[in-house]
Amino acid sequence: EPEVTQTPSHQVTQMGQEVILRCVPISNHLYFYWYRQILGQKVEFLVSFYNNEISEKSEIFDDQFSVERPDGSNFTLKIRSTKLEDSAMYFCASSPGQGNIQYFGAGTRLSVL
Amino acid sequence: AQSVTQPDIHITVSEGASLELRCNYSYGATPYLFWYVQSPGQGLQLLLKYFSGDTLVQGIKGFEAEFKRSQSSFNLRKPSVHWSDAAEYFCAVGKGGSTLGRLYFGRGTQLTVWP
């Protein structure tokens, strides 16, 4: 069964450093998403991406964040200058565009020290 | 404002017992409703979804959920729990009639199953 793949599974970084979280969505999907879950809190929406541009972003997704689909398979989330409060599990999701069914990856745990 | 409430943070049941996980939502339009399950080290796996029509929906692994518009609820049920059902369960709501859009999640309910 096709699945969303995220790498790495765990990323440790120093505060102020840039990180790139990588995702390979399901191949025929058209819509792509990033969510995050801070420990003990709800899964929160960050951004959606369609047709090579951002469709919607939340108030969390400020200028420190960016997304890119550099080729036909990868979908990345970049955090330019990480803060302690960016420590969270980051989930990538993709959707074929039918009924907004979103399929999630296993997540990348980001630890900012 | 859109929100999802899962009032039970942690539920413990014995194997073979029935299960009901509660979910209430607040949404300004017709919602799409989802239940996801997350096992340790795994992603969020879709259990079932409700878009329209029959208010009782069947999902994978023997789960079902019932949409009650009057109560703004979408509770998840299983008649007989298996030890492998131990996981965290998330209820989510999205915009009905849309092909895309953010999902709003509840905090999750951690299910422990006693042998």
Side-chain angles (χ1 to χ4, degrees):
Chain A
E1 182 178 330
E3 60 181 24
V4 176
T5 305
Q6 290 187 244
T7 55
S9 57
H10 191 187
Q11 174 93 44
V12 181
T13 190
Q14 295 290 325
M15 189 170 55
Q17 294 297 304
E18 174 183 287
V19 294
I20 296 176
L21 308 183
R22 303 183 189 277
C23 170
V24 179
I26 295 173
S27 63
N28 61 344
H29 285 190
L30 303 175
Y31 304 87
F32 312 107
Y33 305 84
W34 284 101
Y35 292 80
R36 79 173 186 189
Q37 184 182 29
I38 295 172
L39 191 63
Q41 299 187 22
K42 293 185 178 185
V43 175
E44 303 172 289
F45 168 81
L46 291 177
V47 65
S48 60
F49 192 85
Y50 169 68
N51 201 25
N52 281 320
E53 59 183 25
I54 290 174
S55 304
E56 184 182 5
K57 58 184 181 180
S58 72
E59 59 282 358
I60 302 169
F61 194 88
D62 61 20
D63 292 344
Q64 292 298 314
F65 291 89
S66 63
V67 289
E68 191 176 35
R69 188 158 162 80
D71 52 41
S73 60
N74 292 282
F75 180 51
T76 61
L77 174 69
K78 182 192 291 186
I79 309 175
R80 287 190 184 81
S81 178
T82 51
K83 305 170 189 159
L84 295 176
E85 54 266 36
D86 293 327
S87 294
M89 179 73 87
Y90 288 80
F91 292 106
C92 173
S94 69
S95 171
Q98 296 161 2
N100 198 16
I101 300 172
Q102 298 180 23
Y103 297 87
F104 286 78
T108 293
R109 179 165 298 285
L110 177 64
S111 299
V112 182
L113 306 178
Chain B
Q2 296 86 348
S3 68
V4 177
T5 302
Q6 293 180 248
D8 303 305
I9 296 173
H10 195 176
I11 283 184
T12 300
V13 299
S14 298
E15 191 170 19
S18 63
L19 173 70
E20 182 169 28
L21 303 182
R22 295 182 290 166
C23 172
N24 292 94
Y25 68 91
S26 172
Y27 200 76
T30 302
Y32 283 170
L33 294 158
F34 307 86
W35 275 99
Y36 285 87
V37 59
Q38 184 181 30
S39 299
Q42 304 296 313
L44 297 166
Q45 181 184 22
L46 180 67
L47 278 178
L48 47 76
K49 60 190 182 294
Y50 172 78
F51 289 166
S52 64
D54 192 347
T55 56
L56 184 64
V57 293
Q58 303 296 320
I60 62 171
K61 305 184 180 185
F63 286 91
E64 65 179 27
E66 185 172 13
F67 171 56
K68 293 186 177 179
R69 185 185 300 276
S70 61
Q71 299 177 18
S72 295
S73 69
F74 189 56
N75 294 349
L76 182 71
R77 300 194 295 247
K78 187 169 185 179
S80 178
V81 170
H82 189 262
W83 64 266
S84 60
D85 293 324
E88 189 152 24
Y89 292 80
F90 294 91
C91 181
V93 62
K95 183 178 180 182
S98 174
T99 55
L100 82 162
R102 68 171 72 183
L103 297 182
Y104 295 86
F105 283 84
R107 285 186 180 276
T109 298
Q110 182 70 46
L111 174 66
T112 298
V113 181
W114 284 354

